Amino acid sequence: MKIFKFGGASVKDAQSVKNVSMVLQSQGFEKCLLVISAMGKTTNALEKVVEMYFKKDNYQTEIEEIKQKHIEIAQGLFAEDHAVFAEINLFFDDIDSFLRRNKSPNYNFVYDQVVSCGEMISTKIVSEYLNDIQFSNQWLDARDYVKTDDSYRDGVVNWQKTEEFISNLNPAICYVTQGFIGSDDNNFTVTLGREGSDYSAAIFAYCLNAEAMTIWKDVPGVMTGDPRKFDDVTLLSNISYEEAIEMAYYGASVIHPKTLQPLQQKNIPFYVKSFVDPTKAGTKVGASDKNQSEESYILKEHQTLLKISTRDFSFIAEDHMSLIFNNLAKYKIKVSLMQNSAISLELCLEDKFNKVEELNDELQKVFKTDVIKNVSLFTVRNAKMENIDKFYQGKSVLLEQIAKNTLQMVTQ
């Protein structure tokens, strides 16, 4: 089977959904599974609903606006008496009904039950449209196949159960399913982390022993830098799994960090291609003698720099490190860069759950700390060391590190 993943930008309106069918026509629509994200900025809008719900604001108005946008998209695809309109209404009624009866104070739990509806609605619309134009497919609820623990908003996949369920799919037919979501043992929805649809596609690819996996983006493929942030970037036509994993870890937004390891384990080729021009080759990630190691630039914004030192100027020892990293794990804060000296530890952190203040309060019981918010982590992979001076120009560098031709600096 082939796995195709389409992100929110590729299904943002009726014309975009029609373009998906054109992409499929160019690629061949047989023995494939489509993983589809929520439409456009729906995830952001549903996140706002959850925020308003907990603030006791009028979230119903926001739900109605999101529903109308989906109805408008459907009106551009279907006759007015099509059954899909009742399906759309039902999904939004379910959101409202859940929030009315919910008793859980757990923000992350509520988030997952509400925000996941974006994927459910978008896949239903795309599946129905493709069937209408004779691209025969079966709609799947990913929550019946991707099984996780109950770490809401950051689900950990139970690979044994997931592989057992997914392997029962018929590889001779086509499916449309959701990215980003799974379910726990109680069948509550669990999301796999923001932008997790690429990871979902990799899960299905791994469990189905797929021939290949392709994600369709609004860029030509993996570039040597984000063209919105860097000048004179070029396309990387072939890169290794290892290089792609490093780039994703450092923050290259075109690839989700968890996507590559399942593919690498079974040597499944991974393509990043443009839905604007699907005939172009894009980027191939996998084992190849054509793999490139070009100088590449990654900017990871909205980071936090945390400086930690002992109160008595003693060494940062193993017991200190254990305490610090146990708390990082407790608050689910990711370390993007670390540098330690005898009496201090500096950490560049990604705080996606807004827990750094709680972490800091905990650490201040033992250590002296200094928190600098809204910094950026700039990474140069395969840096040409003879020319690195240019990267320092015009930057206020708070922390820097060079290792194996990789230059990293935290800047304000």
Side-chain angles (χ1 to χ4, degrees):
M1 289 190 80
K2 293 176 288 188
I3 310 298
F4 293 150
K5 182 263 174 174
F6 290 90
S10 64
V11 290
K12 65 182 179 181
D13 52 32
Q15 188 55 47
S16 298
V17 174
K18 291 176 182 178
N19 186 65
V20 167
S21 72
M22 300 298 290
V23 171
L24 296 175
Q25 195 168 21
S26 75
Q27 302 298 304
F29 190 68
E30 63 275 336
K31 293 185 179 179
C32 69
L33 181 142
L34 273 57
V35 175
I36 313 274
S37 298
M39 293 177 151
K41 300 296 184 182
T42 301
T43 300
N44 293 347
L46 288 169
E47 286 177 337
K48 186 177 176 183
V49 168
V50 178
E51 289 173 16
M52 294 173 76
Y53 169 77
F54 277 96
K55 291 176 181 176
K56 303 194 184 318
D57 286 347
N58 180 20
Y59 62 84
Q60 286 94 345
T61 302
E62 187 70 20
I63 292 175
E64 185 62 29
E65 286 182 17
I66 302 167
K67 181 172 83 169
Q68 287 307 315
K69 286 179 183 175
H70 283 81
I71 288 173
E72 286 172 18
I73 291 172
Q75 286 170 338
L77 299 169
F78 303 99
E80 60 183 23
D81 59 348
H82 198 285
V84 76
F85 292 99
E87 295 267 14
I88 294 169
N89 283 317
L90 189 59
F91 278 123
F92 284 100
D93 288 345
D94 284 347
I95 297 173
D96 191 50
S97 175
F98 167 76
L99 291 174
R100 287 179 186 277
R101 69 176 187 273
N102 173 63
K103 302 296 181 188
S104 173
N106 184 338
Y107 188 98
N108 292 338
F109 168 77
V110 174
Y111 176 102
D112 278 4
Q113 311 320 302
V114 172
V115 172
S116 58
C117 291
E119 275 68 20
M120 302 299 289
I121 299 161
S122 70
T123 53
K124 182 61 72 172
I125 291 172
V126 173
S127 175
E128 292 282 355
Y129 175 72
L130 292 177
N131 275 322
D132 278 6
I133 62 169
Q134 308 307 308
F135 281 172
S136 178
N137 72 90
Q138 182 176 326
W139 181 85
L140 294 182
D141 187 335
R143 297 171 298 185
D144 294 334
Y145 296 88
V146 180
K147 307 305 288 186
T148 71
D149 66 358
D150 60 358
S151 300
Y152 299 109
R153 292 183 71 187
D154 200 20
V156 176
V157 173
N158 181 325
W159 282 96
Q160 183 178 348
K161 284 186 179 179
T162 298
E163 192 164 11
E164 180 185 329
F165 288 128
I166 293 177
S167 63
N168 289 325
L169 294 174
N170 182 352
I173 65 175
C174 296
Y175 298 95
V176 173
T177 193
Q178 307 79 40
F180 180 55
I181 64 175
S183 67
D184 63 17
D185 288 341
N186 293 313
N187 291 320
F188 287 117
T189 305
V190 181
T191 64
L192 304 178
R194 200 69 159 82
E195 310 295 341
S197 292
D198 291 1
Y199 184 36
S200 295
I203 292 167
F204 279 99
Y206 176 92
C207 296
L208 290 167
N209 295 306
E211 172 192 327
M213 172 180 146
T214 304
I215 59 173
W216 297 92
K217 311 282 285 188
D218 57 357
V219 292
V222 180
M223 313 290 285
T224 53
D226 186 336
R228 294 166 297 187
K229 298 174 182 176
F230 299 100
D231 297 326
D232 302 321
V233 296
T234 57
L235 177 71
L236 293 165
S237 57
N238 291 269
I239 55 175
S240 66
Y241 291 114
E242 293 80 7
E243 181 67 16
I245 288 168
E246 292 283 355
M247 291 176 72
Y249 176 79
Y250 291 129
S253 59
V254 75
I255 305 171
H256 187 274
K258 292 181 181 178
T259 302
L260 291 147
Q261 287 172 339
L263 302 176
Q264 184 183 26
Q265 284 184 36
K266 291 194 175 179
N267 200 27
I268 297 169
F270 169 45
Y271 296 89
V272 181
K273 300 179 75 172
S274 168
F275 61 74
V276 178
D277 191 350
T279 60
K280 294 274 180 74
T283 300
K284 179 183 177 182
V285 179
S288 170
D289 57 5
K290 298 178 181 177
N291 284 339
Q292 300 158 278
S293 296
E294 301 292 328
E295 188 171 82
S296 303
Y297 320 105
I298 303 159
L299 186 64
K300 200 171 187 179
E301 298 173 306
H302 310 300
Q303 303 286 290
T304 299
L305 183 62
L306 176 62
K307 300 180 179 181
I308 304 167
S309 58
T310 54
R311 292 187 179 279
D312 59 359
F313 296 102
S314 61
F315 291 160
I316 295 273
E318 286 76 6
D319 56 337
H320 295 132
M321 297 285 271
S322 176
L323 173 62
I324 292 164
F325 279 87
N326 280 335
N327 276 291
L328 287 165
K330 173 183 173 182
Y331 294 109
K332 294 187 176 181
I333 297 174
K334 178 189 168 189
V335 178
S336 301
L337 182 67
M338 176 178 75
Q339 193 170 95
N340 66 298
S341 67
I343 60 171
S344 70
L345 177 67
E346 293 182 88
L347 303 171
C348 180
L349 304 174
E350 184 176 352
D351 178 29
K352 62 182 177 181
F353 297 121
N354 298 314
K355 296 289 186 180
V356 79
E357 292 292 350
E358 293 177 50
L359 170 69
N360 191 45
D361 289 344
E362 194 77 29
L363 294 178
Q364 281 187 335
K365 297 173 183 176
V366 180
F367 306 100
K368 288 196 300 183
T369 65
D370 183 25
V371 176
I372 305 173
K373 292 188 176 181
N374 205 29
V375 299
S376 296
L377 175 62
F378 176 51
T379 302
V380 183
R381 289 279 300 158
N382 305 306
K384 297 179 176 67
M385 290 302 170
E386 65 273 18
N387 297 323
I388 65 170
D389 287 350
K390 65 183 179 182
F391 296 119
Y392 292 86
Q393 294 173 11
K395 293 185 177 71
S396 174
V397 179
L398 305 174
L399 180 67
E400 64 178 306
Q401 199 169 96
I402 301 176
K404 291 185 178 178
N405 292 334
T406 297
L407 166 66
Q408 292 189 279
M409 57 178 76
V410 178
T411 65
Q412 268 187 315

